[in-house]
Amino acid sequence: MIKQLTKKSFLDQLNKQAAPSQDKETIFETAKTVIQAIREEKDAALFQYIEKFDGPLTGDIEVSKEERKAAWEKVDQRTIQALERAAANIRKFHQKQIKESKFMQHDAEIVSGQLYRPIEKVGIYVPGGTACYPSSVLMNAIPAALAGVEKVIMVSPARQGGEIAPILSVAADISGVDTIYKVGGIQAVAALSYGTESVEKVDKIVGPGNAYVAAAKSLVYGDVGIDMIAGPSEVAIIADESAKAKHIASDLIAQAEHDTLARAYLFTTSKSLIEETERELVEQLEALPRQAIATEALTRFGGLVLVTSLTEAFELSNLMAPEHLEVQIDHALDYLRFIKHAGSVFLGHYTPESLGDYYAGPNHVLPTSGTAKFSSGLSVDDFVKKTTFLYYSKEALEQSKDDIVTIATEEQLAGHARAVLKRFED
Amino acid sequence: MIKQLTKKSFLDQLNKQAAPSQDKETIFETAKTVIQAIREEKDAALFQYIEKFDGPLTGDIEVSKEERKAAWEKVDQRTIQALERAAANIRKFHQKQIKESKFMQHDAEIVSGQLYRPIEKVGIYVPGGTACYPSSVLMNAIPAALAGVEKVIMVSPARQGGEIAPILSVAADISGVDTIYKVGGIQAVAALSYGTESVEKVDKIVGPGNAYVAAAKSLVYGDVGIDMIAGPSEVAIIADESAKAKHIASDLIAQAEHDTLARAYLFTTSKSLIEETERELVEQLEALPRQAIATEALTRFGGLVLVTSLTEAFELSNLMAPEHLEVQIDHALDYLRFIKHAGSVFLGHYTPESLGDYYAGPNHVLPTSGTAKFSSGLSVDDFVKKTTFLYYSKEALEQSKDDIVTIATEEQLAGHARAVLKRFED
């Protein structure tokens, strides 16, 4: 089961996880083949791969209006209400991310500024099959809709029987998805990137997926935009004597049940908390439906790290740059200032990660594997572009003329200098 | 020379340019080999590739304080002053991009918000050798410094003789670069991404480069952040009868002199403007130092497109999503509202692209090849990350408890439900 790690053995384990794997090469080769085929042969190749990877497709690839309406009858009211309240919270949080076009300078001689414009068409990848995550629909589609994206297209593989899980269709309606296609995996990413006769091309693809989806996204990057390359999910918990082992164990398990590759670490100043957490883990794992998955993840990629101070705990956390960071300390808000790199932060004793995963408002699509050092969770920003603009009057250009000519000459781009000089020839 | 195109032949030419090339595969294979070698053997491989691709390296790989000081004596005062004034303009514009951490909600029961935190270490790629672009140093380093990046590292291949061009070193000082390494190409990107004994690892790499640098950046993406994959530079000019052919021709040429792959298009409602522009191009190209390059670019990737209305001109431009868009129309600011996709916009008759390239303030690192449909030019935002945060009181969590359990149960993640329930067991 979960190991006690020192600072050094924790860092070693972290570095080992970052090494490239052989698997990755094979997955990339598969993705390359599928993408090229769909790019060239379009629907002909697409339907072949759907049949092969997702299973037989009954009916149209696009979920019809009737199917979407019928889905509402198949989901119980309690669940619909919970999703609607979650959507309201998510909308409220993300609304404050909306930015307005603005001027940097605005006078008679010089005007400059920056426009915010929505991306026109966005594709949202939602895992399907056995897994079924309506919360992912909300987290991806709501910021897109708030940004003003004209067309939000969702893709998800059909279940056996050829239909999308009704709950995903309902979540799509709640969060403003325009079109749903029943397709998953590499083939979904390829079809959205280049378009086929039956799947509309988009400008950007977001959303989580397995290693194949991640590989496909990184291969189409540049031809379309992508949000990020997601790795296995992870949590780091910083706790002191005020924390309860019961809470910590339940949060480590919630993380570990996702995936056998999930990562879950505790950094604490309390030796007794480590021992109690070990006992709690054993007890709580017993009745867990996904016990095998969680146990494997905790054993291989988990760790309980005793630190000498909270300062050291935040240092380790900043080195890890975890996707999720919980701070189970009294007056936790006061510790926010020590956090340099993390996807999303959960403060205090009553803010479990699952509250944020589903419900409270912040996005759950977050940078993993240390990429929080240079990237951010999904937000409205991911669905808008900034276009800078500039106006100079003739007088303003004349005043700047000599400097521009000087720099252009230094860079040996005479045409650049002349473009200014030509305007003052007459 | 430059062709007259119809709407249809323009779109055909644009689509052809987007097709993948065989070259690209070869370049990627080379990049893969170099990156793997440097990742594994570090300095041993790095210095071998510097010798092979950049030429012999005399002295240290890091530019010393003395060398940086000496560089100031080798650049004339006029150039230094022009760069300093450009830097001041760039700083003034980008300063308004700085965002503050903020609360989304802040009351006794719930606190949520979003932190802005700088990336710790950033690498800036600056082309060197025959080309020498101090303006690129300014455009990349100034936003990084404004964002609060702790360490800004610049890489650029040494010239013959083993030194960095003095003007690049001066530009680095002006714009806040901490460290300069004399290394370019794939080997620079690899060393910055994974670190070697003599080159410090960074978290993100930005800046323009040739096809090899672009390939290397896309291969290391995920292990470090990158700004974008830059393609050939491009301009679209929208003009009506009020425009002057002389201005248009000089701006098309300024774009075309960059590179034989550069793209330069005019969309105009005026047949006579097209004819005059053709004459002007011939005349202005005559005395141009980089005549061969500009002529090839204009012939292969340029075009003069007669449109039936300005509405159609903006439609074509939005389809192209050009890196640079000039609007040479009277009252040009009034047309800003028709622009959906463009990297940066230059409005009016006295706002040539070269004014923005060097001097006015907006960034010149911009999305190319239609990627302005989903991405933005370089800004302070590229050097900060957003970390969302959340605090719930026990009472607030209790109120949300049932909804979270409902959704978690729906997603078959019992551990997620329990992480909430465990907090109310006692």
Side-chain angles (χ1 to χ4, degrees), chain A residues 85 96 102 117 339 341, chain B residues 96 102 117 339 403:
Chain A
R85 279 192 287 262
K96 304 218 168 150
K102 65 177 172 184
R117 291 280 195 255
I339 299 167
H341 313 298
Chain B
K96 304 218 169 151
K102 65 178 172 182
R117 291 281 195 253
I339 299 166
D403 280 348

Side-chain angles (χ1 to χ4, degrees), chain B residues 83-84 95 124 211 243 273 288 311 319 365-366 374:
Chain B
L83 282 181
E84 277 174 341
Q95 205 128 34
I124 289 174
L273 187 66
L288 190 77
T311 307
L319 279 171
V365 181
L366 296 165
F374 55 80

Side-chain angles (χ1 to χ4, degrees), chain B residues 347-377:
Chain B
L347 298 156
H349 300 297
Y350 291 91
T351 317
E353 189 203 309
S354 54
L355 165 65
D357 282 347
Y358 290 132
Y359 197 74
N363 210 286
H364 81 193
V365 181
L366 296 165
T368 57
S369 313
T371 58
K373 285 188 182 161
F374 55 80
S375 59
S376 310

Side-chain angles (χ1 to χ4, degrees), chain B residues 235-390:
Chain B
V235 71
I237 302 176
I238 295 177
D240 66 2
E241 294 66 23
S242 71
K244 292 201 173 63
K246 195 201 287 187
H247 300 181
I248 291 170
S250 71
D251 291 352
L252 293 173
I253 287 172
Q255 189 60 52
E257 74 173 342
H258 269 293
D259 184 346
T260 54
L261 298 172
R263 300 164 190 187
Y265 291 100
L266 168 67
F267 307 125
T268 182
T269 47
S270 165
K271 180 75 183 157
S272 62
L273 187 66
I274 287 184
E275 286 155 6
E276 284 167 53
T277 301
E278 282 183 318
R279 278 196 296 276
E280 273 288 336
L281 282 171
V282 173
E283 202 185 303
Q284 291 189 26
L285 277 167
E286 250 172 44
L288 190 77
R290 297 165 70 96
Q291 184 188 1
I293 293 172
T295 308
E296 186 179 340
L298 290 170
T299 308
R300 291 177 61 197
F301 303 110
L304 307 174
V305 188
L306 185 68
V307 291
T308 54
S309 65
L310 286 176
T311 307
E312 190 177 90
F314 282 100
E315 265 170 32
L316 288 185
S317 169
N318 284 328
L319 279 171
M320 180 181 173
E323 182 190 14
H324 307 98
L325 172 62
E326 292 189 357
V327 182
Q328 297 197 22
I329 308 179
D330 288 339
H331 311 294
L333 276 156
D334 192 39
Y335 292 84
L336 202 52
R337 60 207 163 102
F338 298 113
I339 299 166
K340 284 184 176 181
H341 313 298
S344 194
V345 182
F346 304 82
L347 298 156
H349 300 297
Y350 291 91
T351 317
E353 189 203 309
S354 54
L355 165 65
D357 282 347
Y358 290 132
Y359 197 74
N363 210 286
H364 81 193
V365 181
L366 296 165
T368 57
S369 313
T371 58
K373 285 188 182 161
F374 55 80
S375 59
S376 310
L378 200 70
S379 74
V380 170
D381 296 351
D382 290 286
F383 300 101
V384 292
K385 312 150 290 130
K386 293 157 283 185
T387 297
T388 51
F389 62 89
L390 183 68

Side-chain angles (χ1 to χ4, degrees), chain A residues 207-316:
Chain A
N210 61 20
Y212 289 92
V213 172
K217 279 168 71 181
S218 80
L219 285 167
V220 299
Y221 169 61
D223 290 332
V224 293
I226 62 170
D227 52 344
M228 64 185 79
I229 308 291
S233 193
E234 67 205 6
V235 72
I237 302 176
I238 295 176
D240 66 1
E241 294 66 23
S242 71
K244 292 201 173 62
K246 196 201 286 187
H247 300 181
I248 291 170
S250 72
D251 291 351
L252 293 172
I253 287 172
Q255 190 59 52
E257 74 173 344
H258 269 294
D259 185 345
T260 54
L261 299 173
R263 301 165 190 186
Y265 290 100
L266 169 67
F267 308 125
T268 183
T269 47
S270 163
K271 179 76 185 157
S272 62
L273 187 66
I274 287 185
E275 285 155 8
E276 284 168 54
T277 301
E278 282 184 318
R279 280 195 296 276
E280 273 289 336
L281 282 171
V282 173
E283 201 185 304
Q284 291 189 26
L285 278 166
E286 250 173 43
L288 190 79
R290 297 165 71 96
Q291 185 190 359
I293 293 171
T295 307
E296 185 178 341
L298 290 171
T299 308
R300 291 178 59 198
F301 303 110
L304 308 174
V305 187
L306 184 68
V307 290
T308 54
S309 64
L310 286 176
T311 306
E312 190 177 270
F314 282 101
E315 264 170 32
L316 288 183

Side-chain angles (χ1 to χ4, degrees), chain A residues 60-245:
Chain A
D60 279 350
I61 189 169
E62 185 178 340
V63 180
S64 70
K65 273 185 192 153
E66 294 68 33
E67 286 175 276
R68 290 179 69 165
K69 207 175 156 205
W72 284 80
E73 306 302 321
K74 296 177 189 162
V75 179
D76 73 282
Q77 278 307 308
R78 183 70 200 82
T79 308
I80 290 174
Q81 282 163 8
L83 283 180
E84 277 173 342
R85 279 192 287 262
N89 288 341
I90 295 165
R91 214 170 272 125
K92 192 174 158 195
F93 185 91
H94 286 77
Q95 206 128 33
K96 304 218 168 150
Q97 292 172 335
I98 297 173
K99 295 182 188 73
E100 303 295 335
S101 299
K102 65 177 172 184
F103 293 108
M104 306 318 203
Q105 185 169 352
H106 194 206
D107 55 48
E109 307 304 330
I110 297 178
V111 180
S112 68
Q114 154 169 312
L115 304 175
Y116 285 92
R117 291 280 195 255
I119 294 176
E120 263 181 57
K121 290 177 193 168
V122 165
I124 289 174
Y125 189 92
V126 176
T130 49
C132 176
Y133 302 128
S135 60
S136 286
V137 180
L138 269 48
M139 291 292 181
N140 283 278
I142 288 174
L146 283 174
V149 170
E150 277 176 38
K151 192 147 191 183
V152 181
I153 297 174
M154 173 175 135
V155 292
S156 193
R159 303 186 302 181
Q160 281 201 325
E163 73 159 6
I164 291 281
I167 184 83
L168 294 184
S169 176
V170 167
D173 286 348
I174 289 173
S175 48
V177 170
D178 298 293
T179 302
I180 309 175
Y181 295 120
K182 299 173 210 164
V183 52
I186 304 165
Q187 58 273 23
V189 175
L192 287 174
S193 301
Y194 303 105
T196 73
E197 295 85 349
S198 44
V199 172
E200 205 172 335
K201 182 198 177 328
V202 299
D203 301 304
K204 185 168 184 171
I205 300 173
V206 302
N210 61 20
Y212 289 92
V213 172
K217 279 168 71 181
S218 80
L219 285 167
V220 299
Y221 169 61
D223 290 332
V224 293
I226 62 170
D227 52 344
M228 64 185 79
I229 308 291
S233 193
E234 67 205 6
V235 72
I237 302 176
I238 295 176
D240 66 1
E241 294 66 23
S242 71
K244 292 201 173 62

